Amino acid sequence: MKINRRRRIIKTFDLLDQPIKFNPFVFSRTFFMWALTGLVGGVIAGVYWIVLEHFTELLAHFHGWMVIPTMAVCGLLAGLVIHCMGDPGEIHLIVDNIRFNKGKLDPKNNPSMILSSLFCVASGGSLGPEAPLVQVTGSTGSWLGKVFRLKGEELRSLSIAGMASGFTALFGVPLGGSLFSLEILHHKHAVEYYKAIIPALVASCFSYVVFALIIHLGIGATWDLKAYHYTGVYDFAYAVAFGAVGTLFGWIFIFVVKFFKKIFEYRKFPIYIKTLTGGIILGIIAFYFPLTRYFGHNEINQLINGNFALNFLISILIFKILAIAITVTSGWRGGFIIPLFFVGTTLGLIIHQLFPSVDTTLAIVSCMAAINACVTRTPMSTTIILGTLTGFTYFVPILFASLTGYFLAPKIPFIGSQSEKLAEE
């Protein structure tokens, strides 16, 4: 009976692909597949976010010196989840599967990713929920593609649409999320993936609506930056200069990550020992510098609205970079985009402290854009996402800073699977 029902559904969808006498519109059955992917992605993201908020509130009661054992225990539990339920991998695995595995993302390790990332993000790790959501919703899109018996580019497009739906739900930027799901696949032949832009846009829009309904999301800027007023063509030069500073710290971040990666991989310890060790170190950093705890979604506003001394901001900048690097290399799960925005915000405030005549908002947004574009190589989506999250309506200075970060980025990418050598093999 189930097989017959599925056949009837597929036959009904096939009618939409018949000649124009039946369907005079552009949309076809694939539109409904993209929409369904977005709806499912939005539900997954909404439920994940609600659970994450409640879990974070529960663990936030452990502050002061208690933050150290709290993060240590959560690190241990996250490691045990990965050890027992399977390693869900990281962003480079998604990129590899999209490029070399015909777009097939295996959903079997989604429970491991969800549980481990909840422990890591909620306890105060310096990684956000964007990477887990992208992986889970992307693999869900891949699974839906198999259900509808899609193959080749159609299956790959649905997987990319799933990734876009997860990213969009968190950031609330359908166009930015769609472009990100394509740009993160960066290599010199990446243009081949842009045929997936419409599927990604459709899934993103449906995902955003569902996510907004679930968590009662409003429309507007997330971070409370002061209004920016254009003062002349020199603002573009300032944006490039600030972008160069942001790129410099992008390089520093990459080298710090490589340094800690060598330390954590020096001996082959079980994953739960690494995550426990990382939790202890992160707890100590969070004890002395509470503002470095968590991935920065709310902490960025604390930075912007606070009146912190220069020495304090420099300390926060240093220890936040260390915290992100340790979180990434010790086996904790999560994404580093919002934490990098936090680093960019701190850097912009430091520049303003050193040069008071500089527009604070322009300095912050330029540094945020450049450091993220340098590390992730996503200049277009970074520009759109930041314009939405900060309310910075002048896209061109952000684009200048993003392109500065992109073109001054290390030739060997931070996300190894973006390497051009791999693309040519």
Side-chain angles (χ1 to χ4, degrees):
M1 291 296 291
K2 289 184 178 179
I3 296 176
N4 291 333
R5 192 182 302 116
R6 180 186 289 183
R7 285 175 177 171
R8 284 198 298 269
I9 293 172
I10 293 174
K11 189 175 181 180
T12 303
F13 277 179
D14 285 341
L15 289 174
L16 293 172
D17 291 329
Q18 295 302 310
I20 196 168
K21 62 181 181 180
F22 180 84
N23 178 21
F25 304 107
V26 171
F27 76 85
S28 62
R29 62 175 179 149
T30 51
F31 173 88
F32 294 99
M33 296 179 191
W34 307 334
L36 178 61
T37 301
L39 291 172
V40 174
V43 171
I44 292 172
V47 173
Y48 180 94
W49 184 260
I50 290 173
V51 174
L52 177 63
E53 281 192 323
H54 286 296
F55 197 20
T56 303
E57 289 177 6
L58 177 65
L59 295 178
H61 289 96
F62 299 99
H63 49 79
W65 68 268
M66 285 295 293
V67 73
I68 300 175
T70 300
M71 296 190 73
V73 170
C74 286
L76 175 62
L77 292 174
L80 288 172
V81 166
I82 295 170
H83 178 75
C84 297
M85 300 180 66
D87 189 347
E90 297 175 355
I91 190 67
H92 67 85
L93 180 62
I94 300 176
V95 176
D96 276 342
N97 285 336
I98 289 292
R99 286 167 55 183
F100 305 122
N101 194 29
K102 301 178 181 179
K104 297 176 183 177
L105 302 178
D106 196 341
K108 70 176 181 180
N109 287 326
N110 282 351
S112 174
M113 173 58 87
I114 292 171
L115 285 175
S116 61
S117 65
L118 282 173
F119 281 116
C120 296
V121 178
S123 63
S126 287
L127 290 179
E130 60 271 21
L133 280 180
V134 166
Q135 180 165 331
V136 172
T137 55
S139 59
T140 302
S142 184
W143 176 78
L144 287 173
K146 292 178 183 178
V147 171
F148 287 106
R149 300 181 181 180
L150 299 184
K151 295 180 180 179
E153 289 306 315
E154 284 189 324
L155 177 59
R156 179 182 277 118
S157 293
L158 205 63
S159 298
I160 293 174
M163 291 169 58
S165 71
F167 195 84
T168 294
L170 179 64
F171 287 92
V173 191
L175 181 56
S178 302
L179 286 174
F180 175 85
S181 66
L182 303 177
E183 283 190 296
I184 200 67
L185 305 173
H186 167 84
H187 64 89
K188 67 180 183 179
H189 302 304
V191 69
E192 67 188 75
Y193 299 124
Y194 274 80
K195 63 184 70 175
I197 186 63
I198 298 300
L201 275 173
V202 172
S204 292
C205 289
F206 278 89
S207 173
Y208 177 62
V209 170
V210 172
F211 184 76
L213 288 173
I214 291 175
I215 71 164
H216 307 292
L217 181 69
I219 297 177
T222 302
W223 298 314
D224 305 324
L225 288 172
K226 296 178 182 177
Y228 163 74
H229 300 287
Y230 174 73
T231 58
V233 292
Y234 288 111
D235 281 8
F236 299 110
Y238 287 138
V240 172
F242 300 149
V245 176
T247 306
L248 172 63
F249 279 85
W251 276 74
I252 292 172
F253 168 75
I254 291 171
F255 280 112
V256 171
V257 169
K258 289 182 177 179
F259 172 76
F260 279 105
K261 187 175 182 180
K262 288 181 181 179
I263 292 177
F264 280 103
E265 292 182 353
Y266 181 72
R267 292 278 182 90
K268 287 189 176 182
F269 291 107
I271 183 67
Y272 50 84
I273 299 298
K274 293 182 180 180
T275 53
L276 170 62
T277 305
I280 294 171
I281 300 172
L282 291 170
I284 294 171
I285 294 175
F287 172 69
Y288 287 103
F289 299 96
L291 204 55
T292 63
R293 192 181 180 191
Y294 301 111
F295 61 97
H297 186 264
N298 298 315
E299 289 68 32
I300 287 176
N301 275 332
Q302 294 180 35
L303 271 178
I304 295 170
N305 297 323
N307 187 20
F308 301 110
L310 179 61
N311 290 340
F312 178 80
L313 290 174
I314 293 174
S315 299
I316 290 295
L317 177 67
I318 293 171
F319 283 97
K320 187 62 176 180
I321 290 175
L322 290 174
I324 302 171
I326 292 167
T327 312
V328 168
T329 55
S330 63
W332 284 46
R333 292 298 184 262
F336 44 77
I337 294 176
I338 298 180
L340 287 177
F341 286 160
F342 179 95
V343 173
T345 302
T346 310
L347 189 56
L349 291 171
I350 291 172
I351 292 174
H352 177 69
Q353 291 261 15
L354 295 173
F355 306 98
S357 60
V358 164
D359 186 284
T360 313
T361 299
L362 182 61
I364 289 174
V365 173
S366 298
C367 289
M368 292 169 89
I371 191 170
N372 188 65
C374 172
V375 174
T376 65
R377 300 196 177 193
T378 56
M380 289 187 292
S381 54
T382 294
T383 301
I384 296 170
I385 289 167
L386 277 178
T388 304
L389 294 179
T390 62
F392 195 99
T393 55
Y394 296 87
F395 282 97
V396 179
I398 309 179
L399 183 58
F400 272 57
S402 294
L403 289 174
T404 300
Y406 175 78
F407 285 109
L408 295 182
K411 195 168 186 179
I412 300 175
F414 176 72
I415 302 173
S417 50
Q418 291 179 333
S419 174
E420 291 183 1
K421 289 184 179 180
L422 289 173
E424 292 169 354
E425 292 178 356

